[in-house]
Amino acid sequence: MAPTVYFVTGANRGIGFGLVEALANRSGVLVFATARDPARADRLNKLAEENKGKVVVVKLEVTSDEDAKKAAEEVKKYTDKVDVLIANAGVSTGSGPVEKVSTADLHTVIDVNVGGPLRIFQALLPLLRASSAPRVYGISSTMGSIAANLDATMPAEMTGGLYTVSKSGLNSLFARIHREHADKDKMTVVLLCPGHTQTDMGNAGAQFFGMDEAPVKLDDSIKGLLTFIDDESGKYAGKFMSFDGTERTW
């Protein structure tokens, strides 16, 4: 039986690495795990070495059109399909109130958090179409919810910054992908919030807000995300779900 083929962006650390590590423990999988600079991705390279034949490290700078195309060509050396795309890579550039953030930071965070998923989706689309049941997941954030941003009970600083703007953009992009490909390509498209997780980026954000660390343990986040990623029923298609099982408002 052919393996289930996964493609995970931003796999060098945090949530991306946690997902790849969990998937590598399974049988019947082939996981393509991306890093901006594979030569420096020590943990990821070690994981791939320990799981030869199941984990392949792929170079991908998500702001590069050329890298996205080359990544797709690398996948084709091993397989003729991708069953599951997990667009996880992201940055949190541009914290602070609107009156103080810079347009340079805006360009950066949008290019990574929205442009990156768009590039790799476009590059892998022929391979996704070759799957009998393609599934595409975007790692978003409740901070990208416009409803949450308008909630007067939510402290403004908790929903501020350009990261919020970029995740709203990602949500809109994935809504379009769902509308355009759900019927035509039998594609399941789901947005996932991993929670405020204890990763390097999550803990840095927590400290910015005066906390010692983020409240959600990485293992709990990964376990919750995989319940959706593993679901093949299509019941979450076009939805914005949290790792804790609840549906998020847009």
Side-chain angles (χ1 to χ4, degrees):
M1 181 180 292
T4 301
V5 181
Y6 298 83
F7 191 100
V8 184
T9 69
N12 186 41
R13 62 177 185 167
I15 291 166
F17 181 85
L19 287 169
V20 172
E21 186 176 40
L23 293 170
N25 286 327
R26 301 177 176 182
S27 59
V29 300
L30 175 58
V31 185
F32 293 92
T34 80
R36 284 178 295 175
D37 184 359
R40 299 177 61 186
D42 296 337
R43 289 179 69 208
L44 187 58
N45 286 324
K46 181 180 178 182
L47 182 65
E49 181 66 23
E50 293 170 347
N51 293 274
K52 281 187 176 180
K54 290 202 292 183
V55 177
V56 179
V57 180
V58 177
K59 181 184 184 302
L60 178 63
E61 167 53 70
V62 296
T63 61
S64 167
D65 293 349
E66 190 62 25
D67 266 18
K69 294 173 184 176
K70 287 181 178 179
E73 291 304 313
E74 185 67 16
V75 171
K76 292 177 185 177
K77 295 178 182 178
Y78 297 84
T79 181
D80 60 359
K81 64 165 184 169
V82 169
D83 298 299
V84 181
L85 167 60
I86 304 172
N88 164 74
V91 295
S92 58
T93 303
S95 298
V98 172
E99 64 183 287
K100 294 183 179 180
V101 295
S102 72
T103 54
D105 282 344
L106 175 66
H107 294 160
T108 296
V109 76
I110 292 292
D111 199 17
V112 174
N113 293 356
V114 185
L118 174 60
R119 289 183 183 93
I120 199 60
F121 173 77
Q122 290 176 335
L124 295 180
L125 183 54
L127 290 161
L128 287 163
R129 283 175 166 156
S131 170
S132 60
R135 309 198 298 279
V136 177
Y137 300 90
I139 303 301
S140 185
S141 169
T142 301
M143 291 175 71
S145 164
I146 294 175
N149 275 268
L150 292 172
D151 184 351
T153 65
M154 179 80 75
E157 63 270 17
M158 294 295 287
T159 55
L162 297 175
Y163 177 79
T164 290
V165 175
S166 72
K167 289 303 184 180
S168 295
L170 175 67
N171 292 359
S172 183
L173 171 65
F174 269 63
R176 294 308 317 161
I177 294 173
H178 167 70
R179 286 293 305 276
E180 294 174 12
H181 296 275
D183 294 332
K184 181 170 65 175
D185 295 314
K186 301 296 186 290
M187 185 179 292
T188 297
V189 181
V190 186
L191 282 158
L192 298 174
C193 173
H196 192 178
T197 308
Q198 292 172 3
T199 62
D200 290 345
M201 189 165 74
N203 286 333
Q207 289 160 15
F208 179 81
F209 296 128
M211 298 181 284
D212 291 333
E213 62 181 359
V216 179
K217 293 181 179 179
L218 180 59
D219 287 348
D220 291 339
S221 178
I222 298 301
K223 182 179 179 180
L225 293 174
L226 285 173
T227 62
F228 298 107
I229 293 169
D230 291 339
D231 187 90
E232 299 181 17
S233 70
K235 65 183 178 181
Y236 300 111
K239 294 185 177 182
F240 182 13
M241 305 301 299
S242 172
F243 81 102
D244 62 10
T246 60
E247 186 170 0
R248 290 292 186 250
T249 56
W250 292 79

